[in-house]
Amino acid sequence: MFGEPIELVLTDLSQGLPAITPALGAVLAEACAVCLDEQGHCQGVEIIVSGEFSAKFKLRWQTVTSQMLRCWNDEEFTTEQAAYGIAFLIIRQLTNLTVIERSSKGTGFDYWLGTIDAEGETPFQNKVRLEVSGIRKGDSTRVKARVKQKKEQTKPSDGKYPAYIIVVEFSTPLSFVAEK
């Protein structure tokens, strides 16, 4: 079912992406480290991706400090930011898409995805919506319920552009990717 897992180095987010500055990327990587560390995971823990894709990745992250734990004390916010970081890396590995722009409030999704080699394309030509959600600790029933909820949430922007919904669960860890 799975080949050899690809290593995802979460601190690579600090290199930035088209719509993620290196500073924000470093922040997202820190949130990932805190979520994984607080769930008791060791370096190289595997995250299973299911849904539209079947894949397995080994995660690597920076050492968590007591200062980081104090900084990232809001569990809900930390989980959301960490889910963004992992979702961005997973979607880049599994597709030719990357994050190209933050979405506006009220659209029902978080980011616009575009092709990695989008040089010279018309803005939003061949683009995809991305909605991300994180769960610190949950089972497959909770993950599937969250996917359903997020599919519903993207309805205001349904129409011309497809969407990926990515839910990242940190206790297992796993990620479910749905396409709409």
Side-chain angles (χ1 to χ4, degrees), residues 8 17 20 25 27 44 48-49 73 75 92 98 102 109 131-132 134 138 140 151 168 174 177:
L8 290 182
L17 297 168
I20 303 300
V27 166
I48 304 294
V49 179
N73 201 33
E75 186 175 306
R92 284 180 62 93
T98 189
R102 178 79 171 144
F109 64 100
E131 174 59 23
V132 177
S140 62
K151 280 184 175 181
V168 179
L174 65 85
V177 181

Side-chain angles (χ1 to χ4, degrees), residues 2-178:
F2 300 112
E4 189 63 28
I6 296 169
E7 190 168 87
L8 290 182
V9 180
L10 300 173
T11 54
D12 286 351
L13 289 163
S14 66
Q15 295 170 18
L17 297 168
I20 303 300
T21 63
L24 179 57
V27 166
L28 298 177
E30 234 181 57
C32 291
V34 168
C35 285
L36 293 164
D37 184 77
E38 287 188 340
Q39 291 301 312
H41 296 303
C42 297
Q43 292 289 336
V45 67
E46 293 181 352
I47 183 168
I48 304 294
V49 179
S50 60
E52 290 296 320
F53 303 97
S54 293
K56 185 167 41 172
F57 298 98
K58 281 188 177 187
L59 300 176
R60 301 272 179 212
W61 59 91
Q62 69 223 66
T63 301
V64 174
T65 65
S66 59
Q67 182 184 32
M68 287 167 64
L69 294 173
R70 288 190 306 274
C71 176
W72 291 100
N73 201 33
D74 180 333
E75 186 175 306
E76 184 179 330
F77 179 76
T78 304
T79 304
E80 177 185 25
Q81 300 310 302
Y84 285 140
I86 289 177
F88 296 163
L89 292 174
I90 286 174
I91 205 72
R92 284 180 62 93
Q93 286 292 324
L94 299 176
T95 70
N96 69 335
L97 299 171
T98 189
V99 178
I100 61 165
E101 187 171 330
R102 178 79 171 144
S103 176
S104 301
K105 283 245 186 256
T107 59
F109 64 100
D110 298 313
Y111 283 90
W112 284 104
L113 298 173
T115 53
I116 291 169
D117 55 356
E119 200 68 32
E121 282 188 18
T122 307
F124 303 109
Q125 178 184 344
N126 302 318
K127 303 305 179 243
V128 178
R129 299 169 294 151
L130 175 66
E131 174 59 23
V132 177
S133 186
I135 299 172
R136 188 69 71 102
K137 187 175 176 80
D139 59 14
S140 62
T141 302
R142 188 164 172 214
V143 170
K144 287 178 182 169
R146 183 71 59 88
V147 169
K148 183 179 178 186
Q149 173 192 359
K150 293 300 179 176
K151 280 184 175 181
E152 190 69 25
Q153 181 182 314
T154 62
K155 277 188 175 178
S157 61
D158 280 352
K160 187 175 178 183
Y161 303 105
Y164 279 117
I165 288 86
I166 301 179
V167 176
V168 179
E169 193 279 337
F170 287 92
S171 69
T172 306
L174 65 85
S175 179
F176 191 91
V177 181

